[in-house]
Coordinates of all heavy atoms in Angstrom, one line a residue:
M7 N -6.5 1.8 -1.0 CA -5.5 0.8 -0.8 C -4.6 1.2 0.3 O -4.1 2.3 0.3 CB -4.8 0.6 -2.1 CG -3.6 -0.4 -2.0 SD -2.8 -0.6 -3.6 CE -3.9 -1.7 -4.4
K8 N -4.3 0.3 1.2 CA -3.5 0.7 2.3 C -2.1 0.0 2.2 O -2.0 -1.3 2.0 CB -4.1 0.2 3.6 CG -3.3 0.7 4.8 CD -4.2 0.6 6.1 CE -3.3 1.0 7.2 NZ -3.9 1.2 8.5
V9 N -1.1 0.8 2.1 CA 0.3 0.2 2.0 C 1.1 0.6 3.2 O 1.2 1.7 3.6 CB 1.0 0.8 0.7 CG1 2.4 0.3 0.6 CG2 0.2 0.5 -0.5
T10 N 1.6 -0.4 3.9 CA 2.3 -0.2 5.1 C 3.8 -0.7 5.0 O 4.0 -1.8 4.5 CB 1.6 -1.0 6.3 OG1 0.2 -0.6 6.3 CG2 2.2 -0.7 7.6
I11 N 4.7 0.2 5.3 CA 6.1 -0.1 5.2 C 6.7 -0.2 6.6 O 6.6 0.7 7.4 CB 6.8 1.0 4.3 CG1 6.2 1.0 2.9 CG2 8.3 0.7 4.2 CD1 6.1 2.4 2.3
C12 N 7.4 -1.3 6.8 CA 8.0 -1.5 8.1 C 9.2 -0.5 8.3 O 10.1 -0.4 7.5 CB 8.5 -2.9 8.3 SG 9.3 -3.2 9.9
I13 N 9.2 0.2 9.5 CA 10.3 1.1 9.8 C 11.0 0.6 11.1 O 11.7 1.3 11.8 CB 9.8 2.5 10.0 CG1 8.6 2.6 11.0 CG2 9.4 3.2 8.7 CD1 8.3 4.0 11.5
G14 N 10.9 -0.7 11.3 CA 11.6 -1.3 12.4 C 13.1 -1.3 12.1 O 13.5 -1.0 11.0
S15 N 14.0 -1.6 13.1 CA 15.4 -1.4 12.9 C 16.0 -2.3 11.8 O 16.8 -1.8 11.0 CB 16.2 -1.5 14.2 OG 15.8 -2.7 14.8
A16 N 15.6 -3.5 11.8 CA 16.1 -4.4 10.7 C 15.7 -4.0 9.3 O 16.6 -3.9 8.4 CB 15.7 -5.9 10.9
C17 N 14.5 -3.6 9.1 CA 14.0 -3.1 7.8 C 14.7 -1.7 7.5 O 15.0 -1.5 6.4 CB 12.5 -3.1 7.8 SG 11.8 -4.7 7.8
H18 N 14.8 -1.0 8.5 CA 15.5 0.3 8.3 C 16.9 0.1 7.8 O 17.3 0.8 6.8 CB 15.5 1.1 9.7 CG 16.2 2.4 9.6 ND1 15.6 3.5 9.1 CD2 17.5 2.8 9.8 CE1 16.4 4.5 9.1 NE2 17.6 4.1 9.5
L19 N 17.6 -0.8 8.3 CA 19.0 -1.1 7.8 C 19.0 -1.6 6.4 O 19.9 -1.4 5.7 CB 19.7 -2.1 8.7 CG 20.1 -1.6 10.1 CD1 20.7 -2.8 10.9 CD2 21.1 -0.5 10.0
K20 N 17.9 -2.2 6.0 CA 17.8 -2.8 4.6 C 17.2 -1.7 3.6 O 17.0 -2.1 2.5 CB 17.0 -4.0 4.6 CG 17.7 -5.2 5.3 CD 16.8 -6.4 5.3 CE 17.5 -7.5 6.1 NZ 16.6 -8.6 6.4
G21 N 17.0 -0.5 4.1 CA 16.6 0.5 3.2 C 15.1 1.0 3.2 O 14.6 1.5 2.2
S22 N 14.4 0.7 4.3 CA 13.0 1.1 4.3 C 12.8 2.6 4.1 O 11.8 3.0 3.5 CB 12.3 0.7 5.6 OG 12.8 1.2 6.7
R23 N 13.8 3.4 4.5 CA 13.6 4.9 4.3 C 13.6 5.2 2.8 O 12.8 6.0 2.3 CB 14.7 5.6 5.0 CG 14.1 6.3 6.3 CD 15.1 7.0 7.0 NE 15.6 8.2 6.4 CZ 16.4 9.0 7.0 NH1 16.9 8.7 8.2 NH2 16.8 10.2 6.4
E24 N 14.5 4.6 2.1 CA 14.5 4.8 0.7 C 13.3 4.4 0.0 O 12.8 5.0 -0.9 CB 15.7 4.0 0.0 CG 17.1 4.6 0.3 CD 18.1 3.5 0.2 OE1 18.3 3.0 -1.0 OE2 18.7 3.1 1.1
I25 N 12.8 3.2 0.5 CA 11.6 2.7 -0.1 C 10.4 3.6 0.1 O 9.6 3.9 -0.8 CB 11.2 1.3 0.4 CG1 12.3 0.3 -0.1 CG2 9.8 0.8 0.0 CD1 12.2 -1.1 0.4
I26 N 10.3 4.2 1.3 CA 9.2 5.1 1.6 C 9.3 6.3 0.8 O 8.3 6.8 0.2 CB 9.2 5.5 3.2 CG1 8.9 4.3 4.0 CG2 8.3 6.7 3.4 CD1 9.0 4.4 5.5
K27 N 10.5 6.8 0.7 CA 10.7 8.1 -0.1 C 10.3 7.8 -1.6 O 9.6 8.6 -2.2 CB 12.2 8.5 -0.1 CG 12.5 9.8 -0.6 CD 13.9 10.3 -0.2 CE 14.3 11.5 -0.9 NZ 14.7 11.3 -2.3
E28 N 10.8 6.7 -2.1 CA 10.4 6.4 -3.5 C 8.9 6.2 -3.7 O 8.4 6.6 -4.7 CB 11.2 5.2 -4.0 CG 11.2 5.0 -5.5 CD 12.2 4.1 -6.1 OE1 13.1 3.6 -5.4 OE2 12.1 3.8 -7.3
M29 N 8.3 5.5 -2.8 CA 6.9 5.2 -2.9 C 6.1 6.6 -2.8 O 5.2 6.7 -3.6 CB 6.4 4.4 -1.7 CG 6.8 3.0 -1.7 SD 5.6 2.0 -2.6 CE 6.2 0.4 -2.0
Q30 N 6.6 7.4 -2.0 CA 5.9 8.8 -1.9 C 6.0 9.5 -3.2 O 5.0 10.1 -3.7 CB 6.5 9.6 -0.8 CG 6.1 9.2 0.6 CD 6.9 9.9 1.7 OE1 8.0 10.3 1.5 NE2 6.3 9.9 2.9
E31 N 7.2 9.4 -3.8 CA 7.4 10.1 -5.1 C 6.5 9.5 -6.2 O 5.9 10.1 -7.0 CB 8.9 10.0 -5.5 CG 9.7 11.0 -4.6 CD 11.2 10.8 -4.8 OE1 11.6 9.9 -5.6 OE2 11.9 11.5 -4.0
L32 N 6.5 8.1 -6.1 CA 5.7 7.4 -7.2 C 4.2 7.7 -7.0 O 3.5 7.9 -8.0 CB 5.9 5.9 -7.1 CG 7.3 5.5 -7.6 CD1 7.7 4.1 -7.2 CD2 7.4 5.5 -9.2
V33 N 3.7 7.7 -5.8 CA 2.3 8.0 -5.5 C 2.0 9.4 -6.0 O 1.0 9.7 -6.8 CB 2.0 7.9 -4.0 CG1 0.6 8.5 -3.7 CG2 2.0 6.4 -3.6
A34 N 2.9 10.4 -5.7 CA 2.6 11.8 -6.1 C 2.7 11.9 -7.7 O 1.8 12.5 -8.3 CB 3.6 12.7 -5.5
A35 N 3.7 11.3 -8.2 CA 3.9 11.4 -9.7 C 2.8 10.8 -10.5 O 2.5 11.2 -11.6 CB 5.2 10.7 -10.1
N36 N 2.1 9.8 -9.9 CA 1.0 9.1 -10.6 C -0.3 9.7 -10.2 O -1.4 9.1 -10.6 CB 1.1 7.6 -10.4 CG 2.2 7.0 -11.1 OD1 2.2 6.9 -12.4 ND2 3.3 6.7 -10.4
G37 N -0.3 10.7 -9.4 CA -1.6 11.3 -8.9 C -2.5 10.4 -8.1 O -3.7 10.4 -8.2
L38 N -1.8 9.5 -7.3 CA -2.6 8.5 -6.5 C -2.8 8.8 -5.1 O -3.1 7.9 -4.3 CB -1.9 7.2 -6.7 CG -1.8 6.6 -8.1 CD1 -0.9 5.4 -8.1 CD2 -3.2 6.3 -8.7
K39 N -2.6 10.1 -4.7 CA -2.7 10.4 -3.3 C -4.0 10.0 -2.7 O -4.1 9.7 -1.4 CB -2.3 11.9 -3.0 CG -0.9 12.1 -3.1 CD -0.5 13.5 -2.5 CE 1.0 13.6 -2.4 NZ 1.5 15.0 -2.4
D40 N -5.1 10.1 -3.4 CA -6.4 9.8 -2.9 C -6.6 8.3 -2.8 O -7.5 7.8 -2.1 CB -7.5 10.3 -3.8 CG -7.4 11.8 -3.8 OD1 -6.8 12.4 -3.0 OD2 -8.1 12.4 -4.8
K41 N -5.8 7.6 -3.5 CA -6.1 6.1 -3.7 C -5.2 5.3 -2.8 O -5.5 4.2 -2.4 CB -6.0 5.7 -5.1 CG -7.0 6.3 -6.0 CD -7.3 5.5 -7.2 CE -8.4 5.9 -8.0 NZ -8.1 6.3 -9.4
V42 N -3.9 5.8 -2.6 CA -2.9 4.9 -1.9 C -2.6 5.6 -0.6 O -2.2 6.7 -0.6 CB -1.7 4.8 -2.8 CG1 -0.7 4.0 -2.0 CG2 -2.0 4.1 -4.1
D43 N -2.9 4.9 0.4 CA -2.6 5.4 1.8 C -1.3 4.8 2.3 O -1.3 3.6 2.6 CB -3.8 4.9 2.6 CG -3.7 5.3 4.1 OD1 -3.0 6.3 4.3 OD2 -4.4 4.7 4.9
L44 N -0.3 5.6 2.3 CA 1.1 5.1 2.7 C 1.2 5.2 4.2 O 1.0 6.3 4.8 CB 2.2 5.8 2.1 CG 2.4 5.6 0.6 CD1 3.6 6.5 0.1 CD2 2.8 4.1 0.3
N45 N 1.7 4.2 4.9 CA 1.8 4.2 6.3 C 3.2 3.6 6.7 O 3.7 2.7 6.0 CB 0.8 3.3 7.0 CG -0.6 3.8 6.7 OD1 -1.1 4.7 7.4 ND2 -1.3 3.3 5.7
G46 N 3.6 3.9 7.9 CA 4.8 3.2 8.5 C 4.3 2.3 9.5 O 3.2 2.5 10.1
A47 N 5.0 1.2 9.8 CA 4.7 0.3 10.9 C 5.9 -0.2 11.6 O 7.0 -0.2 11.0 CB 3.9 -0.9 10.3
F48 N 5.8 -0.6 12.8 CA 6.9 -1.1 13.5 C 7.1 -2.6 13.2 O 6.2 -3.2 12.5 CB 6.8 -0.8 15.0 CG 7.0 0.6 15.3 CD1 5.9 1.4 15.6 CD2 8.2 1.3 15.0 CE1 6.0 2.8 15.8 CE2 8.3 2.6 15.2 CZ 7.2 3.4 15.6
C49 N 8.2 -3.2 13.6 CA 8.5 -4.5 13.3 C 7.3 -5.5 13.4 O 6.6 -5.5 14.4 CB 9.6 -5.0 14.3 SG 10.2 -6.6 14.0
S50 N 7.2 -6.3 12.4 CA 6.1 -7.2 12.4 C 6.6 -8.6 12.6 O 5.9 -9.6 12.4 CB 5.3 -7.1 11.0 OG 6.2 -7.4 10.0
G51 N 7.9 -8.8 12.9 CA 8.4 -10.1 13.2 C 8.9 -10.8 12.0 O 9.2 -12.0 12.0
N52 N 9.0 -10.2 10.8 CA 9.4 -10.8 9.6 C 10.7 -10.2 9.1 O 11.0 -10.2 7.9 CB 8.4 -10.6 8.5 CG 7.1 -11.4 8.8 OD1 7.1 -12.6 8.8 ND2 6.0 -10.7 9.1
C53 N 11.6 -9.8 10.0 CA 12.8 -9.1 9.7 C 13.7 -9.8 8.7 O 14.2 -9.2 7.8 CB 13.7 -8.9 10.9 SG 12.7 -8.3 12.3
V54 N 13.7 -11.2 8.8 CA 14.6 -11.9 7.9 C 14.2 -11.7 6.4 O 15.0 -11.9 5.5 CB 14.6 -13.5 8.2 CG1 15.4 -13.8 9.3 CG2 13.2 -14.0 8.3
N55 N 13.0 -11.4 6.2 CA 12.5 -11.2 4.8 C 12.8 -9.9 4.2 O 12.3 -9.5 3.1 CB 11.0 -11.5 4.7 CG 10.8 -12.9 5.0 OD1 11.5 -13.8 4.7 ND2 9.7 -13.2 5.8
G56 N 13.6 -9.1 4.8 CA 14.0 -7.8 4.2 C 12.9 -6.8 4.4 O 12.1 -7.0 5.3
V57 N 12.9 -5.8 3.7 CA 11.9 -4.7 4.1 C 10.5 -5.2 3.9 O 10.1 -5.6 2.7 CB 12.2 -3.4 3.3 CG1 11.2 -2.4 3.8 CG2 13.6 -3.0 3.5
C58 N 9.8 -5.3 4.9 CA 8.4 -5.8 4.9 C 7.4 -4.7 4.5 O 7.4 -3.6 5.1 CB 8.0 -6.3 6.3 SG 9.0 -7.7 6.8
V59 N 6.7 -5.0 3.5 CA 5.7 -4.0 3.0 C 4.4 -4.8 2.9 O 4.4 -5.9 2.3 CB 6.1 -3.5 1.6 CG1 5.0 -2.6 1.0 CG2 7.4 -2.7 1.7
T60 N 3.3 -4.3 3.4 CA 2.0 -5.0 3.3 C 1.1 -4.1 2.4 O 1.1 -2.9 2.5 CB 1.3 -5.3 4.6 OG1 1.1 -4.1 5.3 CG2 2.1 -6.2 5.5
V61 N 0.4 -4.8 1.5 CA -0.5 -4.1 0.6 C -1.9 -4.7 1.0 O -2.1 -5.9 0.8 CB -0.2 -4.4 -0.9 CG1 -1.3 -3.7 -1.8 CG2 1.2 -3.8 -1.2
D62 N -2.8 -3.9 1.6 CA -4.0 -4.4 2.0 C -3.9 -5.7 2.9 O -4.6 -6.6 2.7 CB -5.0 -4.6 0.9 CG -5.6 -3.2 0.4 OD1 -5.5 -2.2 1.1 OD2 -6.1 -3.2 -0.7
G63 N -2.9 -5.6 3.7 CA -2.7 -6.8 4.6 C -1.9 -7.9 4.1 O -1.6 -8.9 4.8
V64 N -1.6 -7.9 2.8 CA -0.7 -9.0 2.3 C 0.7 -8.6 2.4 O 1.1 -7.6 1.9 CB -1.1 -9.3 0.8 CG1 -0.3 -10.5 0.3 CG2 -2.6 -9.6 0.8
L65 N 1.5 -9.5 3.0 CA 2.9 -9.2 3.2 C 3.8 -9.5 2.0 O 3.7 -10.5 1.3 CB 3.4 -10.1 4.4 CG 4.9 -9.9 4.8 CD1 5.1 -8.5 5.4 CD2 5.2 -11.0 5.8
H66 N 4.6 -8.5 1.7 CA 5.6 -8.6 0.6 C 7.0 -8.3 1.2 O 7.0 -7.6 2.2 CB 5.3 -7.6 -0.5 CG 4.0 -7.9 -1.2 ND1 3.8 -8.7 -2.3 CD2 2.8 -7.4 -0.9 CE1 2.6 -8.7 -2.6 NE2 1.9 -7.9 -1.8
S67 N 8.0 -8.7 0.5 CA 9.3 -8.4 0.9 C 10.0 -7.6 -0.2 O 10.0 -8.0 -1.3 CB 10.0 -9.7 1.2 OG 11.4 -9.6 0.9
L68 N 10.5 -6.4 0.2 CA 11.1 -5.5 -0.9 C 12.5 -5.1 -0.6 O 13.0 -5.1 0.5 CB 10.2 -4.3 -0.8 CG 9.5 -3.9 -2.0 CD1 8.4 -4.8 -2.1 CD2 9.0 -2.4 -2.0
Q69 N 13.2 -4.7 -1.7 CA 14.4 -4.1 -1.6 C 14.3 -2.8 -2.3 O 13.5 -2.6 -3.2 CB 15.5 -4.9 -2.3 CG 15.8 -6.2 -1.5 CD 16.4 -7.2 -2.4 OE1 16.2 -7.3 -3.6 NE2 17.2 -8.2 -1.8
P70 N 15.2 -1.8 -1.9 CA 15.0 -0.5 -2.5 C 15.1 -0.6 -4.0 O 14.3 0.1 -4.7 CB 16.2 0.3 -2.0 CG 16.5 -0.3 -0.6 CD 16.1 -1.8 -0.8
E71 N 16.0 -1.5 -4.6 CA 16.1 -1.5 -6.0 C 14.8 -2.0 -6.7 O 14.7 -1.8 -7.9 CB 17.2 -2.5 -6.5 CG 18.5 -2.8 -5.8 CD 18.5 -3.1 -4.3 OE1 18.4 -2.2 -3.5 OE2 18.6 -4.3 -4.0
N72 N 14.0 -2.8 -6.0 CA 12.8 -3.2 -6.8 C 11.5 -2.5 -6.4 O 10.4 -2.9 -6.8 CB 12.7 -4.8 -6.8 CG 12.6 -5.3 -5.4 OD1 12.2 -4.6 -4.4 ND2 13.1 -6.5 -5.2
T73 N 11.7 -1.4 -5.8 CA 10.5 -0.6 -5.4 C 9.6 -0.2 -6.5 O 8.4 -0.3 -6.5 CB 10.9 0.7 -4.6 OG1 11.7 0.3 -3.5 CG2 9.7 1.4 -4.1
K74 N 10.3 0.3 -7.6 CA 9.5 0.8 -8.7 C 8.7 -0.3 -9.4 O 7.5 -0.2 -9.7 CB 10.4 1.5 -9.8 CG 9.7 2.2 -10.8 CD 10.6 3.2 -11.5 CE 9.8 4.2 -12.4 NZ 9.4 3.6 -13.6
A75 N 9.4 -1.5 -9.6 CA 8.7 -2.6 -10.3 C 7.6 -3.1 -9.4 O 6.5 -3.4 -9.9 CB 9.7 -3.7 -10.5
F76 N 7.8 -3.1 -8.1 CA 6.8 -3.6 -7.1 C 5.6 -2.6 -7.2 O 4.4 -3.0 -7.2 CB 7.4 -3.6 -5.7 CG 6.4 -3.9 -4.7 CD1 6.1 -5.2 -4.3 CD2 5.7 -2.9 -4.0 CE1 5.1 -5.5 -3.4 CE2 4.7 -3.2 -3.0 CZ 4.4 -4.5 -2.7
F77 N 5.9 -1.3 -7.2 CA 4.8 -0.3 -7.2 C 4.0 -0.5 -8.5 O 2.7 -0.5 -8.4 CB 5.5 1.1 -7.2 CG 4.5 2.2 -7.2 CD1 4.0 2.6 -5.9 CD2 4.0 2.8 -8.3 CE1 3.1 3.6 -5.8 CE2 3.0 3.8 -8.2 CZ 2.6 4.2 -7.0
E78 N 4.6 -0.7 -9.6 CA 3.9 -0.8 -10.9 C 3.0 -2.1 -10.9 O 1.9 -2.1 -11.3 CB 4.8 -0.9 -12.1 CG 5.3 0.5 -12.4 CD 6.5 0.6 -13.3 OE1 7.0 -0.5 -13.8 OE2 7.0 1.7 -13.5
K79 N 3.6 -3.2 -10.4 CA 2.8 -4.5 -10.4 C 1.8 -4.6 -9.3 O 0.6 -4.8 -9.6 CB 3.8 -5.6 -10.3 CG 3.2 -7.0 -10.3 CD 4.3 -8.0 -10.6 CE 3.7 -9.4 -10.5 NZ 3.9 -10.1 -9.2
E80 N 2.2 -4.4 -8.1 CA 1.3 -4.7 -6.9 C 0.4 -3.5 -6.5 O -0.6 -3.7 -5.9 CB 2.2 -5.1 -5.7 CG 3.0 -6.3 -5.9 CD 2.2 -7.6 -6.1 OE1 1.0 -7.6 -5.7 OE2 2.7 -8.6 -6.7
I81 N 0.8 -2.3 -6.9 CA 0.0 -1.2 -6.5 C -0.8 -0.6 -7.7 O -2.0 -0.7 -7.8 CB 0.8 -0.1 -5.8 CG1 1.4 -0.7 -4.5 CG2 0.0 1.2 -5.5 CD1 2.3 0.1 -3.7
M82 N -0.1 -0.2 -8.7 CA -0.8 0.3 -9.9 C -1.6 -0.8 -10.5 O -2.7 -0.6 -11.0 CB 0.2 0.8 -11.0 CG 1.2 1.9 -10.5 SD 0.6 3.6 -10.8 CE 0.8 3.7 -12.5
G83 N -1.0 -2.0 -10.6 CA -1.7 -3.1 -11.2 C -2.9 -3.6 -10.5 O -3.7 -4.3 -11.1
R84 N -3.2 -3.1 -9.3 CA -4.3 -3.6 -8.6 C -5.4 -2.5 -8.4 O -6.4 -2.7 -7.8 CB -3.9 -4.0 -7.1 CG -3.3 -5.3 -7.2 CD -2.6 -5.5 -5.8 NE -1.8 -6.7 -5.8 CZ -2.2 -7.9 -5.5 NH1 -3.4 -8.1 -5.1 NH2 -1.4 -8.9 -5.6
L85 N -5.0 -1.3 -8.9 CA -6.0 -0.2 -8.6 C -7.2 -0.2 -9.6 O -7.0 -0.7 -10.7 CB -5.3 1.2 -8.7 CG -4.5 1.5 -7.5 CD1 -3.6 2.7 -7.8 CD2 -5.3 1.7 -6.3
Ligands
FES29 S1 12.2 -4.7 11.4 FE1 10.7 -4.9 9.8 S2 9.8 -6.8 10.2 FE2 11.2 -6.6 11.8

């Protein structure tokens, strides 16, 4: 599964670094390093939607506070 987190400036301001850090911790804590491929990406033109995260090409909008819930539902829930 490929998960891409936007690190463009607008998403950075909205907390993409925290989201990446938390995702890395969640992936490691759940032993999913072989299954979840975390990547950074530059601006995809969806800045208004907050931190843009794509999961296998499907765009989602995230905030640092809902990273864990998102991870459980959209990542763990799909593996
Ligand atoms: S900065 Fe993330 S979509 Fe533009």
Side-chain angles (χ1 to χ4, degrees):
M7 175 180 280
K8 185 165 179 169
V9 180
T10 307
I11 299 145
C12 178
I13 52 168
S15 50
C17 290
H18 178 81
L19 289 175
K20 291 177 184 167
S22 63
R23 256 175 74 175
E24 287 156 65
I25 292 177
I26 291 172
K27 189 168 173 281
E28 192 167 351
M29 289 269 196
Q30 285 171 336
E31 287 167 4
L32 287 163
V33 166
N36 289 286
L38 297 173
K39 280 194 172 157
D40 297 342
K41 296 205 170 122
V42 179
D43 178 21
L44 287 178
N45 298 275
F48 293 107
C49 182
S50 59
N52 290 294
C53 315
V54 282
N55 294 322
V57 181
C58 295
V59 176
T60 58
V61 178
D62 284 341
V64 180
L65 181 67
H66 298 269
S67 145
L68 239 76
Q69 287 156 336
E71 328 49 281
N72 54 29
T73 304
K74 190 161 189 283
F76 175 86
F77 185 87
E78 284 166 1
K79 179 164 177 263
E80 301 292 341
I81 298 180
M82 304 269 288
R84 285 167 189 268
L85 283 173

